[in-house]
Amino acid sequence: MNIGQEILENLKEEITESEYKRYIKQLTYDVKKSTPELAIYYAPNALVVNWIKNKYTEKIAHLFEVKTGSKVTVKITLKNLLDKRKTKKTVEVKQGSSLLNPSHSFSNFMVGGSNQFAYAGVKSASEHPGTTYNPIFIYGGVGLGKTHLMQAAGNVLQNEGKVVIYTTVEQFLNDFIRHVRNKTMERFQEKYRKCDVLLIDDIQFLSGKEGIQEEFFHTFEALKGAGKQIIMTADKHPKKIGGLEARLQSRFEWGLVTDIQPPELETKIAIIEKKCEINKVKLSKEIVNYIATVIDSNVREIEGILSKLHAYSQLMHIEIDLEFTKNVLKDQMNEKRENLTMDTITEIVAKDLNIKPSEIRSKGRSKNIVYARRISIYICRELTQNTMPQLAQYFGMKDHTAISHTIKKINDLIKDDEDFKLKIDELTNKITTAS
Ligand code: ADP
Ligand code: MG
């Protein structure tokens, strides 16, 4: 028996029989590619990979350390890349399409204090297009329902036989370039200036792009002049976008400018219940409430979590209970963290403590620089997969022992000083929700 297999046998004694059969038994150890520092295991599919990563890697690593006396990184990965390729393909199809999503309807949109003005404005435009509020400009953070809401109006009007165009600024720009290249600008103008309703997403991407601003200005004038409804979204208020021609910016404010705020708990709960209904996922009230409190603002994450819950429970024949939900959510957070870099962490810490990121990585010995550097090192160790030598190199420290001293110091401080602990928690929160 190879060492990898032996470790799994040891693990068997620490977990239940059914856990072992369900997950651990599915793992195979790669004798060839594994090294004394790196243990590679394969799992049959992505769901099992995630599940095991989440629940067992630490245990496995610990058993290795006990057995061999050295620290081993445990890597759980897919047996073949087939599943990966499949998921990639579906994503591509989604992104390329500019059609209206039929489930983005008014009845599927939950209204609360955070979005009621935007809702009322868009609803009214869907009933009296081109008259009451024109244009409508909705702004707010990622995943708060801007696209959903604008498409809800689009769906209503399309069903009434109106010609509705939904596009992003990016697609509009690509379309423009293509028509310029093919010398078919009349067709471009015909298409965008003759529709009944224009829904255009992510207006902030017009910033600094003069050519397309000019074209969009004329499109806007033609539509507005003909009493056609225009709805736009952006991540900020028109005044804050910057790099916009004055005439465009002022026109964006002609009609209704309204924001969408992150949903309150009640609205979040209603949204989760709605999504469960649409996706035919059954969750107890307790679990719905739990998800609503854990997800801070981005509603888009809710769908990811529900489909994961659903998929895991189907695959593993498990009832979705609170324990299970907590695990899946943890998994979701970890996935987010995988993309986290040391640059991002130092940037956020530096900004928070009012110094420059370059100072954190310098040899500076002044008190606040050392303080910021220690905190950054600690958080990088917590949130990224970098080794101590990698951290030492990045932060310009002598070697890995300097790093482990720093981490020990911070750990001591956290134990002794409640305020300091709060500071670290706050920064960690900022960093993990930044993306
Ligand atoms: P944005 O365009 O603001 O980034 P989206 O419109 O793409 O956000 O919304 C992200 C996801 O969240 C979509 O699946 C959408 O259906 C859902 N969503 C957001 N707000 C609501 C809401 N109030 N009611 C129901 N679903 C919502
Ligand atoms: Mg959007």
Side-chain angles (χ1 to χ4, degrees):
M1 197 190 301
N2 62 50
I3 175 142
Q5 229 62 50
E6 238 173 84
I7 295 292
L8 297 186
E9 285 296 314
N10 295 346
L11 180 63
K12 196 175 178 179
E13 278 145 37
E14 295 192 12
I15 59 182
T16 66
E17 176 83 22
S18 79
E19 270 182 291
Y20 179 80
K21 276 200 184 131
R22 223 180 251 155
Y23 317 115
I24 302 303
K25 224 181 141 194
Q26 312 205 43
L27 288 179
T28 49
Y29 182 68
D30 190 329
V31 187
K32 278 195 196 130
K33 289 205 189 118
S34 296
T35 67
E37 291 86 38
L38 177 70
I40 302 175
Y41 287 96
Y42 296 111
N45 65 51
L47 298 175
V48 175
V49 168
N50 281 331
W51 189 258
I52 291 180
K53 258 194 199 166
N54 220 344
K55 284 205 73 164
Y56 304 106
T57 35
E58 265 173 41
K59 280 201 181 98
I60 296 174
H62 178 72
L63 289 169
F64 264 105
E65 197 170 342
V66 170
K67 181 138 197 120
T68 65
S70 58
K71 232 182 155 62
V72 178
T73 305
V74 175
K75 201 173 164 192
I76 312 287
T77 178
L78 270 185
K79 194 171 274 164
N80 54 43
L81 296 167
L82 215 76
D83 314 37
K84 256 192 195 159
R85 239 179 271 139
K86 256 189 217 155
T87 43
K88 219 176 187 175
K89 213 169 190 177
T90 43
V91 170
E92 271 163 18
V93 172
K94 258 192 204 153
Q95 284 175 343
S97 142
S98 62
L99 301 172
L100 295 173
N101 179 340
S103 73
H104 284 161
S105 62
F106 284 117
S107 58
N108 286 344
F109 190 84
M110 300 297 108
V111 185
S114 57
N115 58 27
Q116 59 184 351
F117 292 112
Y119 173 85
V122 174
K123 187 86 185 10
S124 150
S126 76
E127 285 155 6
H128 315 283
T131 52
T132 37
Y133 301 117
N134 199 24
I136 295 181
F137 193 103
I138 312 167
Y139 67 96
V142 176
L144 300 182
K146 302 183 296 296
T147 301
H148 183 143
L149 195 54
M150 101 190 319
Q151 290 203 354
N155 276 312
V156 167
L157 294 165
Q158 194 167 57
N159 288 340
E160 288 172 3
K162 299 221 160 50
V163 178
V164 176
I165 293 186
Y166 166 78
T167 183
T168 63
V169 163
E170 211 184 348
Q171 284 167 348
F172 183 75
L173 176 60
N174 289 341
D175 210 15
F176 175 70
I177 293 171
R178 196 162 50 86
H179 280 93
V180 169
R181 200 184 297 133
N182 298 343
K183 302 198 171 59
T184 50
M185 268 313 284
E186 327 74 59
R187 272 176 41 208
F188 177 87
Q189 287 166 356
E190 173 94 355
K191 172 175 164 192
Y192 287 99
R193 296 182 194 180
K194 293 270 162 66
C195 64
D196 299 311
V197 180
L198 179 64
L199 311 173
I200 182 155
D201 227 343
D202 298 322
I203 284 289
Q204 71 271 13
F205 292 124
L206 284 177
S207 168
K209 303 191 180 87
E210 282 151 29
I212 197 68
Q213 281 187 34
E214 163 97 30
E215 186 57 38
F216 185 65
F217 174 77
H218 293 297
T219 306
F220 185 100
E221 288 291 280
L223 290 173
K224 173 81 185 151
K228 304 301 173 70
Q229 181 69 46
I230 303 165
I231 306 181
M232 298 171 277
T233 75
D235 64 349
K236 327 177 185 54
H237 190 282
K239 277 202 176 62
K240 295 245 171 83
I241 291 177
L244 283 183
E245 285 180 29
R247 57 180 186 176
L248 263 185
Q249 189 197 307
S250 72
R251 274 164 184 75
F252 291 166
E253 296 178 54
W254 269 358
L256 174 71
V257 179
T258 172
D259 66 340
I260 295 192
Q261 291 289 326
E264 320 71 33
L265 188 61
E266 300 300 296
T267 315
K268 264 193 281 182
I269 290 174
I271 293 173
I272 297 171
E273 282 171 343
K274 190 48 147 187
K275 296 288 176 196
C276 285
E277 183 193 317
I278 297 171
N279 296 301
K280 302 198 171 59
V281 179
K282 278 212 175 72
L283 295 183
S284 71
K285 190 80 194 162
E286 187 192 23
I287 292 176
V288 171
N289 289 350
Y290 177 76
I291 298 175
T293 49
V294 171
I295 296 294
D296 36 32
S297 62
N298 187 338
V299 183
R300 192 168 295 154
E301 273 184 42
I302 290 175
E303 276 182 326
I305 287 164
L306 292 183
S307 67
K308 244 185 207 167
L309 277 174
H310 189 60
Y312 282 135
S313 77
Q314 295 270 312
L315 185 90
M316 294 171 173
H317 309 288
I318 299 177
E319 284 285 315
I320 305 176
D321 61 12
L322 193 60
E323 240 276 299
F324 182 79
T325 309
K326 282 185 179 165
N327 257 304
V328 171
L329 280 165
K330 205 169 127 204
D331 183 48
Q332 178 102 349
M333 307 291 171
N334 286 344
E335 223 165 71
K336 248 168 106 184
R337 283 179 194 172
E338 269 173 22
N339 304 322
L340 204 59
T341 63
M342 295 201 274
D343 282 344
T344 314
I345 293 172
T346 21
E347 252 163 52
I348 295 174
V349 174
K351 195 165 170 215
D352 190 84
L353 299 175
N354 262 326
I355 57 173
K356 295 198 198 87
S358 58
E359 288 178 308
I360 292 191
R361 298 181 61 187
S362 72
K363 301 249 186 262
R365 302 294 320 159
S366 84
K367 213 173 150 197
N368 18 355
I369 293 180
V370 172
Y371 178 74
R373 186 180 304 129
R374 286 184 176 158
I375 290 182
S376 304
I377 290 172
Y378 177 83
I379 296 181
C380 284
R381 179 66 181 169
E382 288 285 299
L383 298 184
T384 73
Q385 303 293 327
N386 293 290
T387 61
M388 300 242 194
Q390 282 168 330
L391 285 167
Q393 195 189 8
Y394 185 84
F395 288 100
M397 309 278 275
K398 212 170 96 228
D399 55 18
H400 70 279
T401 49
I403 296 289
S404 78
H405 278 146
T406 304
I407 288 167
K408 187 171 172 327
K409 263 196 202 114
I410 297 286
N411 270 323
D412 291 345
L413 266 177
I414 289 175
K415 259 184 238 141
D416 296 342
D417 184 346
E418 184 67 18
D419 284 344
F420 183 74
K421 181 181 182 310
L422 279 177
K423 183 80 212 163
I424 295 277
D425 285 348
E426 182 201 317
L427 274 167
T428 307
N429 248 331
K430 243 189 203 168
I431 289 163
T432 48
T433 54
S435 57

